[in-house]
Amino acid sequence: MRKMLAASAVAMMAASMAVPAQAATVVRFAHMNSPEHFVHVAAQSMADSVAERSNGEIKVELFPSGQLGENGAVTEQMSFGAEVMGQVGIGMLADYAPDYSIVLYPFLYPDFDGAKRLLASDLIKELEAKVAENNIKVLCYAHFGVRDLYTRDKEVRSPGDSNGLSIRVQPVTIYTEMVRLVFGGAATPMPWPDVYSALAQGVIDAAEAPPSAMIDQKHFENTKFFIQTNHMTDIVPVTVSASWFNNLSAENQAIFQEEATIACDSMTDASIASYEAGIQTLADSGMTIISDVDREAFAERAGGIASAFPEWTDGLYDRAKAIVDGQ
């Protein structure tokens, strides 16, 4: 009996000294794209790598196709401290730091190297600090595509051709002003998942997006003309609730940041590679590709967009342009 009691005591002591298994901390990765889109593919790879490198201490759950709401709602959830991350839009960050809109200024970048210079600059670091005050941590940026115009049945080669078109846009000022001033159209904000049916029913005349995004949503089924306006280099941030990130150990913070950066780089590579292939896919799908576009005429109209942002810091556009141009 004494031996049994002694063995029981030893077992109880061992159990009391055992370290409980670390429960995984979970973050939900939300985005508006389909599970086949390069954003989701990169996010899945990130989730797998983070789980492996953190020994299961971090679990990234994926929610594609707007399952957690529009980008604005997802960003707001982060600011409130929800355990959420996402590939959102620059316009969402501009709600907290208005100067952020400069990143999407139409016809600003001669090439992606110019965009990378701006994203690595002190100007952007200042803006990241401002949104961090609202509990939003910017992890990295990705090239989402070069945005072009596409229409149900109207050929467009110059600003006069796009006057009066009802064009779907994100509910963000930089987009609505671009449609008004550059295209001379009527900006029609609506959720991305609704655009397919709006084009099919003639609720809108046109939309604008990178080829990969409109192919992802099969918009080519309801449009005839794809116009290579190349009006905007779409830069998207990947963000996370700062309070969630700050509760990670220093080691896991480093892992999470490194894997997010790898994911953004993967998205960028896929996006850039997808442009010409996307144009060919659209042509093969029966769309007419219009490449002889008077881009200079459209670009000249873009100069007036800055006046729609009285809340911008004085000299913001000139400062950003100098950085982009390497001055």
Side-chain angles (χ1 to χ4, degrees):
M1 177 65 70
R2 284 196 297 271
K3 289 181 179 180
M4 290 177 63
L5 290 173
S8 177
V10 169
M12 290 176 64
M13 289 177 61
S16 67
M17 295 173 63
V19 178
Q22 178 70 43
T25 179
V26 178
V27 65
R28 294 170 293 166
F29 193 136
H31 64 85
M32 298 296 296
N33 311 287
S34 76
E36 291 74 40
H37 194 272
F38 61 73
V39 166
H40 191 82
V41 173
Q44 183 63 67
S45 180
M46 175 188 175
D48 294 342
S49 296
V50 165
E52 180 179 356
R53 291 184 62 192
S54 69
N55 296 316
E57 292 179 12
I58 305 173
K59 182 179 180 181
V60 180
E61 296 179 344
L62 306 186
F63 292 83
S65 305
Q67 293 178 38
L68 297 187
E70 278 276 311
N71 285 335
V74 170
T75 308
E76 186 175 47
Q77 290 175 47
M78 291 179 209
S79 72
F80 290 157
E83 297 173 344
V84 175
M85 67 178 296
Q87 174 262 301
V88 295
I90 287 292
M92 279 65 256
L93 301 186
D95 287 342
Y96 302 91
D99 284 359
Y100 245 123
S101 294
I102 194 66
V103 173
L104 294 179
Y105 204 95
F107 302 100
L108 176 62
Y109 308 114
D111 50 42
F112 189 55
D113 286 340
K116 289 192 288 187
R117 282 192 289 271
L118 181 61
L119 295 172
S121 70
D122 289 341
L123 170 57
I124 298 302
K125 288 182 174 60
E126 293 165 11
L127 299 179
E128 290 172 353
K130 287 184 179 180
V131 298
E133 294 173 2
N134 288 280
N135 202 46
I136 300 167
K137 177 176 176 58
V138 180
L139 293 163
C140 54
Y141 302 91
H143 184 292
F144 190 69
V146 175
R147 301 184 78 91
D148 293 306
L149 182 72
Y150 50 99
T151 67
R152 294 181 74 240
D153 52 18
K154 180 70 182 293
E155 296 186 38
V156 173
R157 290 180 171 80
S158 66
D161 298 329
S162 56
N163 280 341
L165 291 179
S166 173
I167 303 174
R168 180 271 173 182
V169 293
Q170 299 179 38
V172 176
T173 302
I174 196 80
Y175 286 96
T176 58
E177 288 301 300
M178 176 187 68
V179 166
R180 185 176 71 86
L181 294 173
V182 175
F183 295 116
T188 308
M190 70 173 56
W192 183 239
D194 296 345
V195 178
Y196 180 93
S197 60
L199 287 166
Q201 297 166 15
V203 174
I204 55 175
D205 302 312
E208 57 82 44
S212 62
M214 69 95 69
I215 291 169
D216 183 60
Q217 298 294 307
K218 296 182 169 56
H219 291 175
F220 55 82
E221 294 180 352
N222 301 318
T223 52
K224 294 181 180 178
F225 298 103
F226 190 89
I227 301 100
Q228 292 184 273
T229 48
N230 292 179
H231 52 264
M232 184 184 290
T233 299
D234 200 358
I235 307 297
V236 294
V238 172
T239 59
V240 68
S241 169
S243 55
W244 178 86
F245 181 85
N246 293 337
N247 281 332
L248 299 177
S249 67
E251 181 180 4
N252 281 342
Q253 284 183 11
I255 290 170
F256 197 79
Q257 177 63 71
E258 288 168 8
E259 292 301 329
T261 300
I262 290 171
C264 278
D265 289 345
S266 175
M267 293 176 201
T268 292
D269 291 343
S271 173
I272 292 173
S274 73
Y275 185 80
E276 291 302 329
I279 296 297
Q280 186 60 53
T281 296
L282 294 175
D284 293 342
S285 299
M287 291 195 75
T288 297
I289 309 301
I290 298 178
S291 58
D292 55 333
V293 178
D294 190 351
R295 293 188 72 252
E296 289 187 7
F298 283 113
E300 286 176 5
R301 289 185 166 202
I305 293 176
S307 63
F309 294 90
E311 69 274 23
W312 277 2
T313 301
D314 288 345
L316 175 64
Y317 177 81
D318 291 337
R319 181 183 178 190
K321 189 69 165 63
I323 294 169
V324 168
D325 294 342
Q327 298 177 6

